[in-house]
């Protein structure tokens, strides 16, 4: 029997990893398609329309701009252009005086990156300045016209990428946020249920496993912030997605509270594990409250993306307080009391996301109004 259980765990782990890989593919597939279309169009415009030499950098700049969709595209696009221009100015100016070659290339690259640092350029600016200087440092000084075509190709790539990203194949902002944040939200709700079951059955190992899985979801949760920023940008700039702007702005404003709720829920699980390890009294209402919190978290996410008022999430969050009060009436230990406190904090955060003022949310959650 034990051997069967041991064999089932790797199978479940492999299934979970496969499902996560599939979700990541669904999330980023549209970006891959955008990058492919933008690269092909940029090459066509630079080579066949403008007849620029060295058209390779046009599709490279297009791909770089599309990749900046996961985050602040406007800022990163400007960084890309700034790096190219800085690399052209430094590289082309020096090559005319010191010639081309391995030593000269090293000098030009070092000076280009140093110039980017002087002007407080980010890592992206430094990379583009350095790569441009490399290209210019490895060609003959008899070809001074390479600097201008490379700058033109960079502009072509950026403009084509923007047209593709905002007009030809714009992201569906609601769908991309759902696919990016949905697995993390579901993971939080799932681990809340697992922890509640562990408390009912006094299973320390199950609770520890749930806590570890929640910690493992941290990396994906961090990516959600960039995805939400990109989705808001698309909703703002794309005429085909403008009607989603209201939903995206509401979700962006809610993101801070949701992040605090995630942090508090992770701390809550740590204390739940401590309560199990200490064999404290754990009333049934406490485990029920944890499960209801996970459900409220998931409902809030879905209500926001559906453009609905989060009434269901608010009702479920208030049910958590009812469960807590019942548990406290039966009595909880020291670690259990911390779990109760953390639950009140996360419920207040969820109620604030649902539209309640902070004072009212704290009051309904049973917290000090000034918390």
């Amino acid at each position: 029997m034990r051997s069967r259980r041991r064999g089932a765990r790797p199978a479940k782990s492999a299934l979970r990893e496969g499902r996560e890989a599939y979700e990541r593919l669904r999330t980023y597939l549209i970006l891959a398609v955008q990058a492919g279309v933008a690269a092909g169009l940029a090459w066509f415009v630079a080579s066949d329309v403008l007849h620029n030499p060295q058209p390779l950098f046009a599709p490279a700049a297009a791909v770089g701009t599309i990749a900046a969709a996961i985050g602040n595209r406007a800022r990163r696009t400007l960084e890309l252009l700034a790096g190219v221009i800085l690399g052209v100015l430094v590289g082309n100016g020096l090559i005319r005086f010191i010639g081309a070659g391995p030593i000269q290339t090293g000098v030009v690259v070092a000076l280009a990156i140093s110039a980017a640092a002087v002007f407080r350029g980010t890592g992206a600016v430094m990379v583009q300045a350095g790569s441009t200087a490399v290209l210019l440092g490895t060609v003959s000084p008899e070809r001074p016209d390479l600097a201008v075509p490379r700058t033109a190709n960079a502009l072509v790539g950026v403009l084509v990428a923007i047209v593709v990203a905002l007009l030809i194949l714009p992201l569906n902002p609601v769908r991309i946020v759902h696919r990016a944040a949905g697995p993390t939200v579901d993971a939080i709700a799932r681990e809340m249920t697992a922890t509640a079951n562990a408390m009912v059955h006094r299973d320390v190992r199950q609770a520890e496993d749930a806590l570890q899985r929640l910690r493992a979801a941290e990396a994906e949760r961090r990516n959600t912030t960039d995805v939400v920023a990109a989705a808001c940008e698309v909703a703002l700039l794309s005429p085909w997605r403008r009607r989603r702007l209201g939903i995206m702005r509401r979700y962006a404003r809610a993101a801070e509270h949701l992040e605090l709720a995630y942090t508090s829920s992770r701390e809550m699980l740590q204390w739940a594990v401590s309560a199990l390890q200490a064999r404290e009294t754990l009333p049934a209402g406490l485990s029920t409250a944890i499960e209801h919190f996970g459900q409220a978290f998931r409902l809030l996410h879905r209500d926001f993306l559906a453009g609905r008022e989060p009434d269901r999430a608010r009702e479920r969050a208030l049910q958590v307080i009812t469960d807590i009060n019942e548990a406290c009436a039966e009595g909880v230990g020291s670690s259990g009391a911390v779990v109760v406190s953390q639950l009140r904090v996360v419920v207040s955060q969820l109620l604030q996301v649902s539209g309640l003022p902070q004072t009212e949310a704290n009051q309904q959650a049973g917290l000090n109004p000034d918390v």
Side-chain angles (χ1 to χ4, degrees):
M1 183 66 71
R2 289 184 179 179
S3 62
R4 288 183 180 177
R5 290 180 179 176
R6 290 175 182 174
R9 286 184 180 179
K12 288 182 178 180
S13 178
L15 182 62
R16 183 171 62 252
E17 290 177 1
R19 185 167 55 248
E20 291 173 354
Y22 171 71
E23 291 298 334
R24 287 195 299 270
L25 178 62
R26 290 181 64 200
T27 300
Y28 295 106
L29 180 60
I30 181 60
L31 293 178
V33 174
Q34 284 182 340
V37 172
L41 285 177
W43 178 280
F44 172 76
V45 172
S47 178
D48 296 352
V49 177
L50 301 180
H51 305 290
N52 280 346
Q54 301 291 333
L56 178 63
F57 191 66
V63 172
T65 303
I66 293 294
I70 301 303
N72 190 326
R73 176 188 278 118
R75 176 176 59 82
R76 295 186 184 182
T77 299
L78 291 176
E79 289 175 352
L80 184 149
L81 289 175
V84 170
I85 293 171
L86 189 58
V88 165
L89 292 175
V90 174
N92 195 55
L94 288 175
I95 291 300
R96 291 189 178 187
F97 292 101
I98 65 176
I103 297 178
Q104 292 92 327
T105 298
V107 172
V108 169
V109 170
L111 290 176
I113 292 177
S114 298
V118 168
F119 287 102
R120 298 183 179 181
T122 63
V125 176
M126 293 182 186
V127 168
Q128 291 300 330
S131 62
T132 302
V134 166
L135 178 64
L136 296 175
T138 54
V139 299
S140 171
E142 281 74 29
R143 296 190 55 191
D145 59 333
L146 187 60
V148 174
R150 170 151 196 191
T151 304
N153 287 339
L155 290 171
V156 167
V158 167
L159 291 176
V160 167
I162 290 174
V163 169
V164 169
L166 298 180
L167 297 177
I168 299 177
L169 288 173
L171 297 171
N172 183 326
V174 173
R175 183 179 300 164
I176 203 71
V177 170
H178 174 71
R179 289 179 177 175
T184 302
V185 172
D186 288 340
I188 293 172
R190 187 169 57 248
E191 303 316 329
M192 293 298 120
T193 298
T195 303
N197 289 334
M199 294 173 70
V200 170
H201 297 97
R202 314 290 303 188
D203 190 332
V204 178
R205 179 64 181 274
Q206 185 181 358
E208 290 174 341
D209 289 345
L211 177 58
Q212 288 301 115
R213 288 192 298 267
L214 190 59
R215 286 171 175 167
E218 177 73 11
E220 290 189 13
R221 185 192 62 82
R222 289 175 180 172
N223 291 336
T224 302
T225 302
D226 286 341
V227 172
V228 171
C232 289
E233 191 175 62
V234 171
L236 177 64
L237 299 178
S238 174
W240 319 129
R241 303 302 187 191
R242 188 70 54 83
R243 60 192 178 89
R244 300 292 188 181
L245 183 57
I247 295 175
M248 286 299 97
R249 282 179 171 170
R250 288 179 63 201
Y251 197 96
R253 286 194 296 267
E256 181 180 354
H257 292 294
L258 292 175
E259 181 151 343
L260 291 173
Y262 173 86
T263 302
S264 297
S265 65
R266 188 182 58 200
E267 295 174 358
M268 177 183 64
L269 260 62
Q270 292 173 338
W271 284 102
V273 170
S274 298
L276 285 170
Q277 291 172 339
R279 300 182 181 278
E280 292 185 6
T281 300
L282 297 173
L286 193 56
S287 59
T288 304
I290 291 176
E291 183 168 9
H292 282 161
F293 160 69
Q295 294 170 359
F297 199 88
R298 179 185 281 142
L299 286 171
L300 186 67
H301 171 73
R302 293 179 178 176
D303 286 344
F304 261 94
L305 294 184
R308 299 188 296 259
E309 284 298 317
D311 295 329
R312 297 185 304 163
R314 188 182 298 130
E315 290 175 2
R316 193 60 55 88
L318 291 175
Q319 181 61 48
V320 174
I321 301 303
T322 301
D323 298 331
I324 289 174
N325 292 336
E326 292 177 358
C328 291
E330 294 183 37
V332 294
S334 57
S335 296
V338 179
V339 173
V340 168
S341 177
Q342 292 291 341
L343 275 169
R344 293 188 187 279
V345 170
V346 294
V347 166
S348 175
Q349 293 293 337
L350 292 186
L351 290 175
Q352 289 177 60
V353 174
S354 74
L356 293 185
Q358 180 179 359
T359 301
E360 184 178 351
N362 286 342
Q363 183 179 9
Q364 293 199 22
L367 290 172
N368 187 313
D370 297 326
V371 172

